[in-house]
Amino acid sequence: EADIYQTPRYLVIGTGKKITLECSQTMGHDKMYWYQQDPGMELHLIHYSYGVNSTEKGDLSSESTVSRIRTEHFPLTLESARPSHTSQYLCASSGPGEYYEQYFGPGTRLTVT
Amino acid sequence: AQKVTQAQTEISVVEKEDVTLDCVYETRDTTYYLFWYKQPPSGELVFLIRRNSFDEQNEISGRYSWNFQKSTSSFNFTITASQVVDSAVYFCALRGGGADGLTFGKGTHLIIQP
């Protein structure tokens, strides 16, 4: 069973607020990812990291930013939330090679009103 | 570019029926990895299986089985004697050589009726 955690699980917030979605893993994985899942269920990669101080943008353009100061922690921040940011955000981590599967956290369902 | 197609948006069967979820992929990479994940109503993605492009051996795990065919670029998933607890959204995903994230299909919503 994967040990990857996300908080909060649900968040309803007004437009213009700054928010940070937390993601932590206890598996010592260097690689971590953020995916956005739209209401149509499809998942898209928005950010990933190879390790501490490494962050890259994914396939889907996102106004969010990420940081990786500690191996186990990979938070995602939205400086000014908008209704278009309403979605589910899933964090994942994996072992060092392409061969390894990604383990996912429970997700944060964000609603911006 | 990589692509995963799950043509079945929703499947509804009665409990104990067998059901097959289709997955077709596109990639130019010679080395790649295929995955299936399950997403129950609670929302988390649960890893089910990984298959490497150089290993076409089919796999069976209890009531689950997977059929990988490179000739047709397909990686289908069969549930035998389905149960209500199998109700979920199932995603097929692809990771190509050198890629960092997974390319997901749109998912198949499986409904098992009692």
Side-chain angles (χ1 to χ4, degrees), chain B residues 36-97:
Chain B
W36 275 95
Y37 284 86
K38 174 182 180 180
Q39 187 175 41
S42 52
E44 76 276 19
L45 278 169
V46 178
F47 166 72
L48 295 177
I49 191 171
R50 173 192 59 235
R51 180 55 81 221
N52 312 323
S53 56
F54 44 86
D55 179 7
E56 286 195 70
Q57 190 172 9
N58 292 328
E59 184 154 338
I60 298 175
S61 176
R63 296 184 296 107
Y64 295 173
S65 62
W66 290 269
N67 182 6
F68 175 35
Q69 291 192 338
K70 286 182 73 172
S71 60
T72 56
S73 297
S74 64
F75 186 42
N76 296 337
F77 173 30
T78 297
I79 300 175
T80 303
S82 60
Q83 299 176 2
V84 173
V85 294
D86 295 327
S87 297
V89 180
Y90 290 86
F91 288 93
C92 180
L94 167 69
R95 188 177 197 178

Coordinates of all heavy atoms in Angstrom, one line a residue, chain B residues 36-97:
Chain B
W36 N -2.6 -0.2 -15.9 CA -4.0 -0.1 -15.6 C -4.1 0.4 -14.1 O -3.5 -0.1 -13.2 CB -4.7 -1.4 -15.8 CG -5.2 -1.7 -17.2 CD1 -4.5 -2.4 -18.1 CD2 -6.4 -1.2 -17.8 NE1 -5.2 -2.5 -19.3 CE2 -6.4 -1.7 -19.1 CE3 -7.4 -0.4 -17.4 CZ2 -7.4 -1.5 -20.0 CZ3 -8.5 -0.2 -18.3 CH2 -8.4 -0.7 -19.6
Y37 N -5.0 1.4 -14.0 CA -5.4 1.9 -12.7 C -6.9 1.8 -12.5 O -7.7 2.0 -13.4 CB -4.9 3.4 -12.5 CG -3.5 3.6 -12.3 CD1 -2.6 3.7 -13.4 CD2 -2.9 3.7 -11.0 CE1 -1.3 3.9 -13.2 CE2 -1.6 3.9 -10.8 CZ -0.8 4.0 -11.9 OH 0.6 4.2 -11.7
K38 N -7.3 1.7 -11.2 CA -8.7 1.7 -10.8 C -9.0 2.9 -10.0 O -8.2 3.2 -9.1 CB -9.0 0.4 -10.0 CG -10.4 0.3 -9.4 CD -10.6 -1.0 -8.6 CE -12.0 -1.1 -8.0 NZ -12.2 -2.3 -7.2
Q39 N -10.1 3.6 -10.3 CA -10.4 4.8 -9.5 C -11.8 4.5 -8.9 O -12.8 4.7 -9.6 CB -10.4 6.1 -10.3 CG -10.6 7.3 -9.4 CD -10.5 8.6 -10.2 OE1 -10.9 8.7 -11.4 NE2 -9.8 9.6 -9.6
P40 N -11.9 4.1 -7.7 CA -13.2 3.9 -7.0 C -13.9 5.3 -6.7 O -13.2 6.3 -6.9 CB -12.9 3.1 -5.8 CG -11.5 3.5 -5.5 CD -10.8 3.7 -6.8
P41 N -15.1 5.3 -6.3 CA -15.8 6.5 -6.0 C -15.1 7.4 -5.0 O -15.3 8.6 -5.0 CB -17.2 6.1 -5.5 CG -17.4 4.8 -6.1 CD -16.0 4.1 -6.2
S42 N -14.3 6.9 -4.2 CA -13.5 7.7 -3.2 C -12.5 8.5 -3.8 O -12.0 9.5 -3.2 CB -12.9 6.7 -2.2 OG -12.1 5.7 -2.8
G43 N -12.1 8.3 -5.1 CA -11.3 9.2 -5.8 C -9.8 8.8 -6.0 O -9.2 9.4 -6.9
E44 N -9.2 8.0 -5.2 CA -7.8 7.7 -5.4 C -7.6 6.8 -6.5 O -8.5 6.0 -6.9 CB -7.2 7.1 -4.1 CG -7.6 5.7 -3.8 CD -8.9 5.5 -3.1 OE1 -9.7 6.4 -3.2 OE2 -9.1 4.4 -2.6
L45 N -6.4 6.8 -7.1 CA -6.1 5.9 -8.2 C -5.3 4.7 -7.6 O -4.3 4.9 -7.0 CB -5.2 6.6 -9.2 CG -6.0 7.4 -10.3 CD1 -5.0 8.3 -11.1 CD2 -6.7 6.5 -11.2
V46 N -5.8 3.5 -7.9 CA -5.1 2.3 -7.4 C -4.4 1.6 -8.5 O -5.1 1.2 -9.5 CB -6.2 1.4 -6.7 CG1 -5.5 0.1 -6.2 CG2 -6.9 2.1 -5.6
F47 N -3.1 1.4 -8.3 CA -2.4 0.7 -9.4 C -2.8 -0.8 -9.4 O -2.9 -1.5 -8.4 CB -0.9 0.8 -9.0 CG 0.0 -0.2 -9.7 CD1 0.3 0.1 -11.1 CD2 0.6 -1.3 -9.1 CE1 1.1 -0.8 -11.8 CE2 1.4 -2.1 -9.8 CZ 1.7 -1.9 -11.2
L48 N -3.0 -1.3 -10.7 CA -3.4 -2.7 -10.9 C -2.3 -3.5 -11.5 O -2.0 -4.6 -11.0 CB -4.6 -2.8 -11.7 CG -5.9 -2.2 -11.2 CD1 -7.0 -2.3 -12.2 CD2 -6.3 -2.9 -9.9
I49 N -1.7 -3.0 -12.6 CA -0.7 -3.8 -13.3 C 0.2 -2.9 -14.1 O -0.2 -1.8 -14.6 CB -1.3 -4.9 -14.2 CG1 -0.3 -5.9 -14.7 CG2 -2.1 -4.2 -15.3 CD1 -0.9 -7.1 -15.4
R50 N 1.4 -3.4 -14.4 CA 2.4 -2.8 -15.3 C 2.8 -3.8 -16.3 O 3.0 -5.0 -15.9 CB 3.6 -2.3 -14.5 CG 4.7 -1.8 -15.4 CD 6.0 -1.5 -14.6 NE 6.4 -2.8 -14.0 CZ 6.7 -2.8 -12.7 NH1 6.5 -1.8 -11.9 NH2 7.1 -4.0 -12.2
R51 N 3.0 -3.4 -17.5 CA 3.5 -4.4 -18.6 C 4.5 -3.6 -19.4 O 4.3 -2.5 -19.8 CB 2.3 -4.9 -19.4 CG 2.7 -5.8 -20.5 CD 3.4 -7.0 -20.0 NE 2.6 -8.0 -19.4 CZ 2.9 -8.7 -18.3 NH1 4.0 -8.4 -17.6 NH2 2.0 -9.6 -17.9
N52 N 5.6 -4.3 -19.6 CA 6.7 -3.7 -20.5 C 6.5 -4.1 -21.9 O 6.0 -5.1 -22.2 CB 8.1 -4.3 -20.0 CG 8.2 -4.2 -18.5 OD1 7.8 -3.3 -17.9 ND2 8.9 -5.2 -18.0
S53 N 7.0 -3.2 -22.8 CA 6.8 -3.4 -24.2 C 7.4 -4.7 -24.8 O 7.0 -5.2 -25.8 CB 7.3 -2.2 -25.0 OG 8.6 -2.0 -24.7
F54 N 8.5 -5.1 -24.1 CA 9.2 -6.3 -24.5 C 8.7 -7.6 -23.9 O 9.3 -8.7 -24.1 CB 10.7 -6.1 -24.3 CG 11.0 -5.6 -22.9 CD1 11.2 -6.4 -21.8 CD2 11.2 -4.2 -22.7 CE1 11.4 -5.9 -20.6 CE2 11.5 -3.7 -21.5 CZ 11.6 -4.6 -20.4
D55 N 7.7 -7.5 -23.2 CA 7.1 -8.7 -22.5 C 5.6 -8.8 -22.8 O 4.8 -8.2 -22.2 CB 7.3 -8.6 -21.0 CG 6.7 -9.8 -20.2 OD1 6.3 -10.8 -20.9 OD2 6.7 -9.7 -19.0
E56 N 5.3 -9.7 -23.8 CA 4.0 -9.8 -24.3 C 3.2 -10.9 -23.6 O 2.1 -11.3 -23.9 CB 3.9 -10.1 -25.8 CG 4.2 -8.8 -26.6 CD 3.9 -9.0 -28.1 OE1 2.7 -9.1 -28.4 OE2 4.8 -9.1 -28.9
Q57 N 3.8 -11.5 -22.5 CA 3.1 -12.5 -21.8 C 1.9 -12.0 -21.1 O 1.9 -11.0 -20.5 CB 4.1 -13.1 -20.8 CG 3.6 -14.4 -20.1 CD 4.7 -15.0 -19.3 OE1 5.7 -14.4 -19.0 NE2 4.5 -16.2 -18.8
N58 N 0.8 -12.7 -21.3 CA -0.4 -12.3 -20.6 C -0.3 -12.6 -19.1 O 0.5 -13.5 -18.7 CB -1.6 -13.0 -21.2 CG -1.9 -12.5 -22.6 OD1 -1.6 -11.3 -23.0 ND2 -2.4 -13.4 -23.5
E59 N -1.1 -11.9 -18.3 CA -1.1 -12.1 -16.9 C -2.4 -12.3 -16.3 O -3.4 -11.7 -16.8 CB -0.4 -10.9 -16.3 CG -0.2 -11.0 -14.8 CD 1.0 -10.2 -14.3 OE1 1.8 -9.9 -15.1 OE2 1.0 -9.9 -13.0
I60 N -2.5 -13.1 -15.3 CA -3.8 -13.4 -14.6 C -3.5 -13.2 -13.1 O -2.5 -13.7 -12.6 CB -4.3 -14.8 -14.8 CG1 -4.6 -15.0 -16.3 CG2 -5.5 -15.1 -14.0 CD1 -4.9 -16.5 -16.7
S61 N -4.4 -12.5 -12.5 CA -4.3 -12.3 -11.0 C -5.7 -12.4 -10.5 O -6.5 -11.5 -10.5 CB -3.7 -10.9 -10.7 OG -3.7 -10.6 -9.3
G62 N -6.0 -13.6 -10.0 CA -7.3 -13.8 -9.4 C -8.4 -13.7 -10.5 O -8.3 -14.4 -11.5
R63 N -9.3 -12.8 -10.4 CA -10.4 -12.7 -11.4 C -10.0 -11.7 -12.5 O -10.7 -11.5 -13.4 CB -11.7 -12.1 -10.7 CG -12.3 -13.1 -9.6 CD -13.6 -12.5 -9.1 NE -13.4 -11.3 -8.3 CZ -13.7 -10.1 -8.8 NH1 -14.3 -9.9 -10.0 NH2 -13.5 -9.0 -8.0
Y64 N -8.8 -11.1 -12.4 CA -8.3 -10.1 -13.3 C -7.4 -10.8 -14.3 O -6.5 -11.6 -13.9 CB -7.6 -9.0 -12.6 CG -8.4 -8.1 -11.7 CD1 -7.8 -7.1 -10.9 CD2 -9.8 -8.2 -11.6 CE1 -8.5 -6.3 -10.1 CE2 -10.5 -7.4 -10.8 CZ -9.9 -6.4 -10.0 OH -10.6 -5.6 -9.2
S65 N -7.5 -10.4 -15.6 CA -6.5 -10.9 -16.5 C -6.2 -9.8 -17.5 O -7.1 -8.9 -17.8 CB -6.9 -12.1 -17.2 OG -8.1 -11.9 -18.0
W66 N -5.0 -9.8 -18.1 CA -4.6 -8.7 -19.1 C -4.1 -9.4 -20.3 O -3.3 -10.3 -20.2 CB -3.6 -7.8 -18.4 CG -4.2 -6.9 -17.3 CD1 -4.7 -5.7 -17.5 CD2 -4.2 -7.3 -16.0 NE1 -5.1 -5.2 -16.2 CE2 -4.8 -6.2 -15.3 CE3 -3.9 -8.4 -15.2 CZ2 -5.1 -6.2 -13.9 CZ3 -4.1 -8.4 -13.9 CH2 -4.7 -7.3 -13.2
N67 N -4.5 -8.9 -21.5 CA -4.1 -9.4 -22.8 C -3.3 -8.3 -23.5 O -3.9 -7.3 -24.0 CB -5.3 -9.8 -23.6 CG -4.9 -10.4 -24.9 OD1 -3.7 -10.6 -25.2 ND2 -5.9 -10.8 -25.7
F68 N -2.0 -8.4 -23.6 CA -1.2 -7.4 -24.3 C -0.8 -7.9 -25.7 O -0.2 -9.0 -25.8 CB 0.1 -7.2 -23.5 CG 1.1 -6.2 -24.1 CD1 0.7 -5.2 -24.8 CD2 2.4 -6.5 -23.9 CE1 1.6 -4.3 -25.4 CE2 3.4 -5.6 -24.4 CZ 3.0 -4.6 -25.2
Q69 N -1.2 -7.2 -26.7 CA -0.8 -7.6 -28.1 C -0.2 -6.4 -28.8 O -0.9 -5.4 -29.2 CB -2.1 -8.0 -28.8 CG -2.7 -9.4 -28.3 CD -3.7 -9.9 -29.3 OE1 -4.3 -9.2 -30.0 NE2 -3.9 -11.2 -29.2
K70 N 1.1 -6.5 -29.0 CA 1.8 -5.4 -29.7 C 1.4 -5.3 -31.2 O 1.4 -4.2 -31.7 CB 3.3 -5.7 -29.7 CG 3.9 -5.5 -28.3 CD 5.4 -5.7 -28.3 CE 6.2 -4.6 -29.0 NZ 7.6 -4.7 -28.8
S71 N 1.0 -6.4 -31.8 CA 0.6 -6.3 -33.2 C -0.6 -5.4 -33.4 O -0.8 -4.8 -34.5 CB 0.3 -7.7 -33.7 OG -0.8 -8.3 -33.0
T72 N -1.5 -5.3 -32.4 CA -2.7 -4.5 -32.5 C -2.6 -3.3 -31.6 O -3.6 -2.5 -31.5 CB -3.9 -5.3 -32.2 OG1 -3.8 -5.9 -30.9 CG2 -4.2 -6.4 -33.3
S73 N -1.5 -3.1 -30.9 CA -1.3 -2.0 -30.0 C -2.4 -2.0 -29.0 O -3.0 -0.9 -28.7 CB -1.2 -0.7 -30.7 OG -0.1 -0.6 -31.5
S74 N -2.7 -3.1 -28.4 CA -3.8 -3.2 -27.4 C -3.4 -3.8 -26.1 O -2.4 -4.6 -26.1 CB -5.0 -4.0 -28.0 OG -4.6 -5.3 -28.2
F75 N -4.0 -3.4 -25.1 CA -3.7 -3.9 -23.7 C -5.0 -4.0 -23.0 O -5.4 -3.1 -22.2 CB -2.7 -3.0 -23.0 CG -2.2 -3.4 -21.7 CD1 -1.9 -4.8 -21.5 CD2 -2.1 -2.6 -20.6 CE1 -1.4 -5.2 -20.3 CE2 -1.6 -3.0 -19.4 CZ -1.3 -4.3 -19.2
N76 N -5.8 -5.1 -23.2 CA -7.1 -5.2 -22.7 C -7.2 -5.8 -21.4 O -6.3 -6.7 -21.0 CB -8.0 -5.9 -23.7 CG -8.1 -5.2 -25.0 OD1 -8.0 -4.0 -25.1 ND2 -8.4 -6.0 -26.1
F77 N -8.2 -5.5 -20.6 CA -8.3 -5.9 -19.2 C -9.7 -6.6 -19.1 O -10.7 -6.1 -19.4 CB -8.3 -4.7 -18.4 CG -8.5 -4.9 -16.9 CD1 -8.3 -6.1 -16.2 CD2 -9.1 -3.8 -16.2 CE1 -8.5 -6.2 -14.9 CE2 -9.3 -4.0 -14.8 CZ -9.1 -5.1 -14.2
T78 N -9.6 -7.9 -18.6 CA -10.8 -8.7 -18.4 C -11.1 -9.0 -16.9 O -10.1 -9.4 -16.2 CB -10.8 -10.0 -19.2 OG1 -10.7 -9.7 -20.6 CG2 -12.0 -10.8 -18.9
I79 N -12.3 -8.7 -16.5 CA -12.7 -9.1 -15.1 C -13.7 -10.3 -15.3 O -14.7 -10.2 -16.0 CB -13.4 -8.0 -14.4 CG1 -12.4 -6.8 -14.3 CG2 -13.8 -8.5 -13.0 CD1 -13.1 -5.6 -13.7
T80 N -13.3 -11.4 -14.7 CA -14.1 -12.6 -14.7 C -15.0 -12.7 -13.5 O -14.6 -12.3 -12.4 CB -13.2 -13.9 -14.8 OG1 -12.3 -13.8 -15.9 CG2 -14.1 -15.1 -14.9
A81 N -16.3 -13.1 -13.7 CA -17.2 -13.2 -12.6 C -17.3 -11.9 -11.8 O -17.0 -11.8 -10.6 CB -16.9 -14.4 -11.7
S82 N -17.7 -10.8 -12.5 CA -17.6 -9.5 -11.9 C -18.4 -9.4 -10.6 O -19.4 -10.2 -10.4 CB -18.2 -8.5 -12.9 OG -19.5 -8.8 -13.3
Q83 N -18.0 -8.5 -9.7 CA -18.7 -8.2 -8.5 C -19.0 -6.8 -8.3 O -18.3 -5.9 -9.0 CB -17.8 -8.7 -7.3 CG -17.4 -10.2 -7.3 CD -16.4 -10.5 -6.2 OE1 -16.0 -9.7 -5.4 NE2 -16.0 -11.8 -6.2
V84 N -19.9 -6.4 -7.5 CA -20.3 -5.1 -7.3 C -19.2 -4.2 -6.9 O -19.0 -3.0 -7.3 CB -21.5 -5.0 -6.3 CG1 -21.8 -3.5 -5.9 CG2 -22.7 -5.7 -6.8
V85 N -18.2 -4.7 -6.1 CA -17.1 -4.0 -5.7 C -16.1 -3.6 -6.8 O -15.2 -2.8 -6.6 CB -16.3 -4.8 -4.6 CG1 -17.1 -4.9 -3.3 CG2 -15.8 -6.1 -5.1
D86 N -16.3 -4.2 -8.0 CA -15.5 -3.9 -9.1 C -16.0 -2.6 -9.8 O -15.3 -2.1 -10.7 CB -15.5 -5.0 -10.2 CG -14.9 -6.3 -9.7 OD1 -14.0 -6.2 -8.9 OD2 -15.4 -7.4 -10.1
S87 N -17.1 -2.1 -9.4 CA -17.6 -0.8 -9.9 C -16.6 0.3 -9.6 O -16.3 0.6 -8.5 CB -19.0 -0.5 -9.3 OG -19.9 -1.5 -9.6
A88 N -16.2 1.0 -10.7 CA -15.2 2.0 -10.6 C -14.9 2.6 -12.0 O -15.5 2.1 -13.0 CB -13.9 1.5 -10.0
V89 N -14.1 3.6 -12.1 CA -13.5 4.0 -13.3 C -12.2 3.4 -13.5 O -11.3 3.4 -12.6 CB -13.4 5.5 -13.4 CG1 -12.9 6.0 -14.8 CG2 -14.8 6.2 -13.2
Y90 N -11.9 2.8 -14.7 CA -10.6 2.1 -14.9 C -9.9 2.9 -16.0 O -10.4 3.2 -17.1 CB -10.9 0.7 -15.4 CG -11.4 -0.2 -14.3 CD1 -12.7 -0.2 -14.0 CD2 -10.5 -0.9 -13.5 CE1 -13.2 -1.0 -12.9 CE2 -10.9 -1.7 -12.4 CZ -12.3 -1.8 -12.2 OH -12.8 -2.5 -11.1
F91 N -8.6 3.2 -15.7 CA -7.8 4.0 -16.6 C -6.7 3.1 -17.1 O -6.0 2.4 -16.4 CB -7.2 5.2 -15.9 CG -8.2 6.3 -15.6 CD1 -8.8 6.3 -14.4 CD2 -8.5 7.2 -16.6 CE1 -9.7 7.3 -14.1 CE2 -9.4 8.2 -16.3 CZ -10.0 8.3 -15.1
C92 N -6.4 3.2 -18.4 CA -5.2 2.6 -19.1 C -4.3 3.8 -19.3 O -4.7 4.9 -19.6 CB -5.6 2.0 -20.4 SG -4.3 1.3 -21.3
A93 N -3.0 3.5 -19.1 CA -2.0 4.6 -19.2 C -0.7 4.1 -19.8 O -0.4 2.9 -19.8 CB -1.7 5.2 -17.8
L94 N 0.0 5.0 -20.4 CA 1.2 4.7 -21.2 C 2.4 5.6 -20.7 O 2.2 6.8 -20.5 CB 1.0 4.9 -22.7 CG 2.1 4.9 -23.7 CD1 2.7 3.6 -23.8 CD2 1.6 5.4 -25.0
R95 N 3.5 5.0 -20.6 CA 4.7 5.8 -20.4 C 5.8 5.4 -21.4 O 6.2 4.2 -21.4 CB 5.2 5.5 -18.9 CG 6.4 6.5 -18.5 CD 6.7 6.2 -17.1 NE 7.5 7.2 -16.5 CZ 7.9 7.2 -15.2 NH1 7.6 6.2 -14.4 NH2 8.6 8.2 -14.8
G96 N 6.2 6.3 -22.2 CA 7.2 6.0 -23.2 C 8.6 6.2 -22.8 O 8.8 6.8 -21.7
G97 N 9.5 5.7 -23.5 CA 10.9 5.9 -23.2 C 11.3 7.3 -23.0 O 11.1 8.1 -24.0

